[in-house]
Amino acid sequence: MAAPRDSAISKLHPQASTDEATLAKLGYKQEFCREFTPLEVAGLAFSFVGVVPSIASVLFYAIPNGGPVAMVWGWVFACPFIMCTGLALAELASAAPTSGSLYYWTYSLASPRCRNFLSWIVGYSNTIEMITGVASVNWACAIQITAAISIASSDQTYTTTNQQLYGIYAALCLSQAVLVSFGTKILARLQRLFTLVNACLCFIIIIALPVATPPDYRNSANFALGDFTNLAGWPSGFAFILSLMAPLYTIGGYDASVHMSEEASNAAMAIPWAIVGSIAVSAVLGCGVNISLAFCMGTDVGSVFNSPIGQPMAQILFNSLGQQKALALWCLVIIAEYMMASNCLLVGSRQTFAFARDGALPFSRYLYRINRYTGTPINTVWFVIICSLAIGLLSFVSTQAIGAVFTIDITASYIAYITPITNRFVFQNDFKPGPFYLGKLSFPVSVIAVVWMVFMIFVFFFPATPQTTAQEMNYTVVVLGGFMFLAISWYYLPVYGGVHWYTGPISNYTPAIRGENKDEDSLSERKEHDADIYVSAVDV
């Protein structure tokens, strides 16, 4: 999985390091400051998961499709499959730690006959995953803010319009764009605060909530661990499968730390262990959170799901803690959600930067720039935010349309994960394991991961209830299908499509292209082999 070029010493790091040498073998020069320590990378991966705010965002998938059983046992059932996926990706991350990661691995491991196309598809799937990830977390945060207003109101029945919700959503997006535009060192140190807040939230829910819950709302073990409540109308078995959306969304984005590879020290070991460690810790803490909620939610599952507050977890907290304490804790959930969204934007900007570095995105010549003051790719930060703001307009179509961003996020990520994992074993390639290697377990673990993801992709296309209308349908296949149709159309566009000029990852430490107008903020350099075709295509 190495590019056939010699290494070069980054201007930002005059003293050669192991990380720079590894990156140079992959075909790239060091352009970011490696400010993230292994602990901060792990913290980023953990806060990217955001156990409590994520569970709060998607609890409405678990409660109507099994109630306490889905919350507790659905989580336990899904976590081993999630770990298999994380382990398979961790091996690839250790072998080739680069910000481009998934599409880079796909290109390196695929057959020369199809690697350009597969790399293109994976790159765009990964980009869609990142953009919808920012959109889904910020939309959830906006809804949680309105839930806080409901908790604070006298009758807990505050209602909001789509225009107001979108205004909150836009304010969240724009403020995060400013935050993530700061320097790498600031963003790295912030991970310590983000990790602390998320960890404290977990322990508050696990320990303090059961202690404070009144006897009227405390459930027996038989109810918390054995009651199956089906409010959706699907057969019980399939309803349970649909409830798995909750753990799969919560412990998702395994590639988050991978996209920070070029800003992390000892990336070949820090990144894979961040993936595996964040999944393991999140799985244990998430299980504790779900068990606590199941014991403290009361027996009237329907009233929790149809709460006037609009958020099942907020209603549980309100019943157990009372208005003031529930409002204080819910505000902490909102803060953690905001931190999670900021990390989604941080990771998404790095992935988009890498894809633009290889010339695959529209306006790549403008997106592939690093600001000389902050040392960060500010252009891609704002590109992701603009796209997220556009996706937020789905809220004016219907609640189901904007709700589809949650399943689109997972489905797009699974497409991006399945391809490189499969390529490793299907095609003949020169894959060389990194320091993190499973040995003989690699193949069975990868098979389990791929089969699981393929199965769940089809599940996520189903609507929430069997009786549905055009307004209530699952828009995942429509929105994701539309994105992928545009990506494929752009690839095969006559004369100017990617099929005519996209040749996969481009080594960027050769001399700058003669005659190209290079911005003074840019640290980019293009490979001369593709220069003429690439520049003409982007100009058009």
Side-chain angles (χ1 to χ4, degrees), residues 335-508:
I335 293 171
E337 189 85 54
Y338 183 87
M339 294 173 174
M340 178 182 170
S342 299
N343 273 347
C344 287
L345 177 57
L346 170 63
V347 171
S349 67
R350 274 33 175 191
Q351 187 278 334
T352 309
F353 171 84
F355 207 32
R357 174 171 62 188
D358 291 319
L361 288 174
F363 313 111
S364 287
R365 68 192 311 184
Y366 303 106
L367 295 176
Y368 175 42
R369 296 182 180 182
I370 295 180
N371 186 275
R372 62 181 176 181
Y373 297 107
T374 65
T376 55
I378 291 178
N379 290 9
T380 55
V381 171
W382 287 93
F383 172 79
V384 173
I385 282 298
I386 291 171
C387 293
S388 299
L389 289 172
I391 289 178
L393 296 174
L394 288 171
S395 61
F396 296 102
V397 177
S398 70
T399 303
Q400 287 72 22
I402 187 63
V405 296
F406 293 94
T407 49
I408 291 171
D409 180 32
I410 299 179
T411 307
S413 68
Y414 281 5
I415 293 172
Y417 299 163
I418 288 169
T419 312
I421 294 174
T422 304
N423 286 359
R424 176 184 168 187
F425 298 100
V426 170
F427 297 111
Q428 291 184 349
N429 51 65
D430 61 345
F431 176 77
K432 296 179 177 61
F436 185 95
Y437 181 49
L438 298 178
K440 293 181 179 180
L441 293 177
S442 294
F443 181 72
V445 165
S446 298
V447 169
I448 293 172
V450 170
V451 171
W452 168 256
M453 288 187 285
V454 170
F455 172 69
M456 292 309 300
I457 284 176
F458 288 103
V459 171
F460 290 148
F461 290 152
F462 281 82
T465 61
Q467 295 80 29
T468 188
T469 64
Q471 287 292 103
E472 297 174 345
M473 67 173 284
N474 188 335
Y475 281 81
T476 301
V477 66
V478 177
V479 180
L480 179 60
F483 277 130
M484 296 312 298
F485 175 78
L486 291 175
I488 295 173
S489 299
W490 171 229
Y491 184 79
Y492 285 111
L493 186 70
V495 182
Y496 305 113
V499 69
H500 302 290
W501 48 266
Y502 179 70
T503 57
I506 302 173
S507 176
N508 73 342

Side-chain angles (χ1 to χ4, degrees), residues 260-274:
M260 304 304 295
S261 295
E262 296 178 29
E263 296 169 76
S265 58
N266 192 20
M269 281 299 291
I271 300 302
W273 279 111

